[in-house]
């Protein structure tokens, strides 16, 4: 194993640091190890190991949709199903629970 002799100094928001380190502590991973893992992933991916983009906050609220808009969304879903772009229900519900903390 390589000797760890390089230092890294970074300024981050205190709340971000606290939240991240709390999660890392729960996982039993020191912050320095997590940063080392992150850097290794940057090397392996030849870039950031995740997509960097502005999230699409377009959540559908059916109570605010017109009948035509609802029909279009249902048609999109049906087309996805016919094209094989589907996921098992268990995976969908797992993702919902994870994404919305429910």
């Amino acid at each position: 194993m390589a000797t760890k002799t390089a230092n890294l100094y970074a300024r981050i928001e205190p709340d971000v640091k606290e939240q991240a380190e709390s999660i890392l502590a729960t996982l039993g991973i020191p912050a320095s190890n997590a940063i080392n893992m992150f850097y290794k992933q940057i090397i392996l991916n030849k870039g950031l190991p995740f997509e960097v983009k502005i999230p699409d906050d377009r959540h559908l609220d059916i109570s605010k949709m017109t009948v035509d808009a609802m029909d279009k969304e249902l048609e999109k879903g049906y087309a996805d199903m016919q094209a094989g772009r589907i996921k098992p229900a268990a995976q969908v519900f797992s993702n919902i629970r994870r994404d919305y903390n429910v």
Side-chain angles (χ1 to χ4, degrees), residues 15-31 34:
D15 189 50
V16 170
K17 179 180 183 286
E18 182 181 319
Q19 288 179 51
E21 287 182 354
S22 174
I23 293 167
L24 290 170
T26 301
L27 295 170
I29 301 172

Side-chain angles (χ1 to χ4, degrees), residues 15-84:
D15 189 50
V16 170
K17 179 180 183 286
E18 182 181 319
Q19 288 179 51
E21 287 182 354
S22 174
I23 293 167
L24 290 170
T26 301
L27 295 170
I29 301 172
S32 59
N33 288 18
I35 293 166
N36 198 45
M37 291 164 54
F38 176 61
Y39 271 45
K40 286 181 179 186
Q41 285 297 309
I42 291 171
I43 294 165
L44 288 170
N45 287 281
K46 294 181 175 41
L48 291 175
F50 48 82
E51 189 173 16
V52 178
K53 66 177 190 172
I54 298 171
D56 180 11
D57 285 339
R58 186 172 126 349
H59 295 93
L60 298 178
D61 182 349
I62 61 171
S63 68
K64 297 178 182 176
M65 294 176 76
T66 65
V67 172
D68 287 339
M70 178 63 129
D71 286 344
K72 286 179 184 176
E73 288 301 319
L74 290 170
E75 287 172 10
K76 285 185 210 174
Y78 186 69
D80 283 343
M81 184 195 66
Q82 286 184 313

